[in-house]
Every structure is written in C-alpha cells, then in structure tokens.
Amino acid sequence: MQKWECPCGYVYDPAEGDVENGVDPGTAWENLPDGWVCPVCGAEKDAFWKYDG
C-alpha cells in the first residue's frame, strides 16, 4: 500500500496505521476517517503527497 508524507516529515504507513488516533493497521489512505490530521503537526490530508522514499 502507498505511503503518504506530510510537509513536517511524518510518513503515514498504512501497514502501521495511526493506532494512537484510532486508525487500525491496514487502513489505506483513502479509508482514513474524515477529519484525520497529521499526528505530529495537525496538517490536513490534502497537505500530504505520495511518499517515494
């Protein structure tokens, strides 16, 4: 599954999810809940880009 990077450097990895914020491992980017934001800086999803690192 595709990873996504925030301008602050946080990388959302679907394999890991964001358990601390209620996102289970295996949750694809397009299935993140409405209102989910970067857990580091609070940026909204539209600030992220596809991670190619």
Side-chain angles (χ1 to χ4, degrees):
M1 282 192 272
Q2 178 67 51
K3 295 178 184 179
W4 291 79
E5 184 172 5
C6 181
C8 76
Y10 170 79
V11 175
Y12 176 75
D13 182 349
E16 295 178 9
D18 180 15
V19 177
E20 292 181 9
N21 293 295
V23 179
D24 292 331
T27 302
W29 178 256
E30 54 273 3
N31 295 330
L32 284 170
D34 292 338
W36 181 87
V37 296
C38 175
V40 174
C41 73
E44 296 183 1
K45 284 175 59 176
D46 62 359
F48 284 67
W49 58 84
K50 288 183 179 180
Y51 178 73
D52 60 2

